Amino acid sequence: MATNPSFQLFSSSNDKPSLGLGFLESSEPPLVPPPPSVEVLSSEVSSTVKFTAEPVNLDGLTLLKGRVSTKEVFGLPNSDLVPGVYEGGLKLWEGSLDLVKVLRAEVQNGHLSFEGKQVLELGCGHGLPGIFACLEDAAVVHFQDFNAEVLQCLTIPNVNANLSEKSQRDPAPEACFFAGDWGEIHQLLPHARRSETNPNSSSEHGQATGYDVILMAETIYSISAQKSLYGLIKKCMSHPHGVVYMAGKKHYFGVGGGTRQFLSMLEKDGVVAATLVTEVADGSSNVREELQRKQPL
C-alpha cells in the first residue's frame, strides 16, 4: 500500500454570499423527485430485512460493518446506485474506512477532539465515521442518508451493534437519524441554519448553532448534486470554529465528480479554501483523498 501522508483542509468565511457556479448549473430535470425529508426514529429498525455484522480492522481499531441485501431492501440487483432512487448507501465504500483511519490519527495527534461536540455525518450509509465520533465522546451525532430504508435496515442496526460492543459513557451520545435530499434536509436538521451565509439565521428548531464537526465519505461523485451538498455544508457548519472532514476519490469515472473537481468548485466560490491531508493509492480503486476544511481565523 502506497500512501502519502497529506490531507485536505477547507476554510470558509461569510464575506461572499453566493455560489455563482455556472458550470454546476444543469438544465436537465431530475430523473425522479427526491423522497421527502424525514426523521427516522431509532426504534424504526426493519424487522423484515436480514442484518448481519462482521468485524473490520482499521489500523488496530476494530469496528463492525453491517451487511444487508440490496435486492431485499429495494428490490434491485446488487448495484452501486440508481440515481434519484437509491444512492449506494448499502455499500461500504473505501472512503468511509479511510476517513475513520484519518479521524483516529487526528485524535491521537491532538489535532481533533470529539468530546462534547455536535457532529453530523452526511451520506452516512454504514455510519462508521459517525460511530467513531460516538466512541470518542461526542455529545450529539446526527446521521443523514438519502434513503430512509438505508437508515432503517443498515445504519441504525450498525450503530447499535457497534455501541453495544464498546463501553459507553453515561449519558450516551444523542444519536439521531435523518433521511432526505441535500437540498431540503437542512429543514429537519436541528443544528442547521436557513441561510448559507448568515451564521445567526434560525431553523425551525429555533436558534441554530451549527455542527462542530461534519463528516462525509464518497459524497462528491455526482456533479449535479455537489451544489446542494456544498450549500448544505455552509448551512450546517458552526461559526467560527466548525470543521469538515471529507474522503473521496480524485475522480469518479463515468459520472464526472471527484475531489479535484470539488476543490475547483470551492476555489470558484471563494468562500472556502482547501488543503490536502491524506492520499491513498493502494491499487484497490482510483486514488482516494481525505480532506479537512475549516473557517479561516
Side-chain angles (χ1 to χ4, degrees), residues 69-93:
S69 165
T70 307
K71 185 174 182 179
E72 194 174 352
V73 177
F74 290 101
L76 299 169
N78 287 323
S79 170
D80 285 352
L81 58 89
V82 179
V85 177
Y86 162 62
E87 294 290 341
L90 298 179
K91 177 176 178 177
L92 181 57
W93 300 86

